[in-house]
Amino acid sequence: MMYVYAGKTALITGASSGIGEVFARGLAKRGMHVVLVARSEEALRKLAAELTKQYGIRSEVIVADLSQEKAAAQVKAAVETRGLHIDMLINNAGMGTYDAFEKLDPERDHQQVMLNVTAVVDLAHAFLPEMAARGEGAMINVSSMAAYMPMPYMAVYAASKAFVLSFSEALSVEYHQRGIRVTALCPGQVETSFHQKTEHPVPRAGATISAQEAVTTALRAMEQGKSSVIPNRMNQASILSTRFMSRIFLAQGAASRLKPQSLKNPTR
Ligand SMILES: NC(=O)c1ccc[n+]([C@@H]2O[C@H](COP(=O)([O-])OP(=O)(O)OC[C@H]3O[C@@H](n4cnc5c(N)ncnc54)[C@H](OP(=O)(O)O)[C@@H]3O)[C@@H](O)[C@H]2O)c1
């Protein structure tokens, strides 16, 4: 299945850094107009100006905190005010918390569910109906390899990404006959500033890939009409092997890998 990018418009959440920024650059390079969404206005404006100058496409900035109630409605209103139609929705913005569950700030975990789960559903509701009416569209949701197993000490993050994977795979089938491609991107470790933003360093596992590789793999999977994709063969093999293991065994394995330093050497 071919996908024609040029002249269409993509809305990318979390476009101010990391994977989202690389999505914006890659799509602008392919001739798409881009709508960049995140909280960091300055970074978005700088990127928008650069992309318009470099590729001659239209770049719009919508500053929004997607962890807030009704954020998606505000984004949709801003899109409509500018007279835009969204052909491709990239739900990429996300955050992760890491520590023993009772040490985590409940407010941060609430924001995490709002951002990683609620905003994804709300934005899909905001933009898929008009894609369906036009009989064409695409949505790429950034999940994670964490979607495939319960992860102690990152319980909320892994559960949120499991939601995104399941949600994407289900909608991929619902919308298949209506010309809309839905793809979940499930990377392992990606070289971005994501891990510095969690309060503690998260132990690394599996192959680390570049944001460029993650984006190229996601776009290829979308073009091929795949409902989900794990970039990197080693990471694909490791997830394949988990199919034959019990989920509790997987959770115990993740727990021994992820156990925070503070729990290994508790201070008395
Ligand atoms: N890096 C990895 O190893 C890895 C692995 C698997 C999956 N992922 C997923 O990949 C996605 C992108 O992460 P990344 O690695 O590129 O990390 P990143 O560089 O930290 O980017 C996160 C993006 O999300 C935006 N964002 C965060 N909170 C937001 C909020 N409340 N409202 C609106 N936007 C918000 C950030 O922009 P502002 O701060 O400007 O709002 C930023 O643009 C996430 O969904 C993450 O879970 C990452």
Side-chain angles (χ1 to χ4, degrees), residues 30 211-221:
R30 287 167 173 78
Q212 188 60 61
E213 188 180 344
V215 167
T216 306
T217 306
L219 293 179
R220 199 180 311 124

Side-chain angles (χ1 to χ4, degrees), residues 16-17 19 39-40 65-66 92 157 161 188 190 192 195 197:
S16 61
S17 67
I19 299 170
R39 294 166 303 177
S40 310
D65 181 345
L66 294 171
N92 160 78
Y157 180 73
K161 293 302 182 182
V190 186
T192 68
H195 294 279
K197 291 177 191 167

Side-chain angles (χ1 to χ4, degrees), residues 51-112:
L51 295 180
T52 295
K53 188 165 173 227
Q54 195 167 356
Y55 301 112
I57 48 98
R58 180 173 175 186
S59 304
E60 293 283 338
V61 166
I62 298 175
V63 179
D65 181 345
L66 294 171
S67 70
Q68 299 300 306
E69 193 65 47
K70 308 267 184 250
Q74 286 160 11
V75 170
K76 186 176 162 69
V79 164
E80 282 171 357
T81 306
R82 293 167 210 209
L84 298 164
H85 294 286
I86 302 305
D87 300 290
M88 183 186 289
L89 170 62
I90 313 266
N91 279 309
N92 160 78
M95 61 174 281
T97 57
Y98 167 61
D99 208 340
F101 183 69
E102 77 272 15
K103 290 197 175 176
L104 293 170
D105 176 1
E107 183 54 31
R108 291 256 305 154
D109 264 352
H110 179 79
Q111 286 167 0
Q112 179 171 210

Side-chain angles (χ1 to χ4, degrees), residues 103 259-268:
K103 290 197 175 176
K259 194 166 187 175
Q261 211 56 41
S262 59
L263 295 183
K264 285 182 188 158
N265 313 303
T267 43
R268 288 151 210 265

Side-chain angles (χ1 to χ4, degrees), residues 5-256:
Y5 292 90
K8 291 183 182 151
T9 303
L11 185 145
I12 304 129
T13 70
S16 61
S17 67
I19 299 170
E21 180 184 337
V22 175
F23 262 118
R25 289 181 184 281
L27 294 171
K29 192 176 176 184
R30 287 167 173 78
M32 284 190 102
H33 307 297
V34 291
V35 182
L36 311 176
V37 182
R39 294 166 303 177
S40 310
E41 183 167 4
E42 211 184 308
L44 293 180
R45 292 215 181 279
K46 196 164 159 255
L47 179 62
E50 188 190 326
L51 295 180
T52 295
K53 188 165 173 227
Q54 195 167 356
Y55 301 112
I57 48 98
R58 180 173 175 186
S59 304
E60 293 283 338
V61 166
I62 298 175
V63 179
D65 181 345
L66 294 171
S67 70
Q68 299 300 306
E69 193 65 47
K70 308 267 184 250
Q74 286 160 11
V75 170
K76 186 176 162 69
V79 164
E80 282 171 357
T81 306
R82 293 167 210 209
L84 298 164
H85 294 286
I86 302 305
D87 300 290
M88 183 186 289
L89 170 62
I90 313 266
N91 279 309
N92 160 78
M95 61 174 281
T97 57
Y98 167 61
D99 208 340
F101 183 69
E102 77 272 15
K103 290 197 175 176
L104 293 170
D105 176 1
E107 183 54 31
R108 291 256 305 154
D109 264 352
H110 179 79
Q111 286 167 0
Q112 179 171 210
V113 176
M114 292 295 287
L115 178 65
N116 295 9
V117 176
T118 309
V120 174
V121 177
D122 288 354
L123 287 168
H125 273 304
F127 296 112
L128 289 187
E130 56 181 80
M131 290 184 202
R134 287 198 298 273
E136 200 198 47
M139 175 166 76
I140 297 175
N141 294 328
V142 182
S143 174
S144 165
M145 267 170 74
Y148 290 93
M149 67 198 77
M151 292 178 69
Y153 312 114
M154 297 191 77
V156 178
Y157 180 73
S160 76
K161 293 302 182 182
F163 180 100
V164 172
L165 175 60
S166 174
F167 176 65
S168 308
E169 289 174 327
L171 289 195
S172 157
V173 173
E174 270 194 53
Y175 280 100
H176 178 70
Q177 303 290 356
R178 303 173 71 190
I180 300 177
R181 304 146 197 248
V182 181
T183 305
L185 168 65
C186 303
Q189 301 267 348
V190 186
E191 286 156 0
T192 68
S193 60
F194 184 79
H195 294 279
Q196 284 129 40
K197 291 177 191 167
T198 55
E199 277 90 58
H200 309 287
V202 181
R204 290 181 173 263
T208 300
I209 61 165
S210 66
Q212 188 60 61
E213 188 180 344
V215 167
T216 306
T217 306
L219 293 179
R220 199 180 311 124
M222 182 278 298
E223 289 165 17
Q224 293 168 347
K226 289 186 181 165
S227 60
S228 69
V229 66
I230 302 167
N232 184 276
R233 284 193 190 286
M234 216 174 92
N235 288 344
Q236 284 166 9
S238 93
I239 291 302
L240 189 64
S241 70
T242 65
R243 296 209 177 160
F244 308 104
M245 299 172 193
S246 80
R247 285 176 65 81
I248 205 68
F249 176 77
L250 287 171
Q252 285 161 349
S256 62

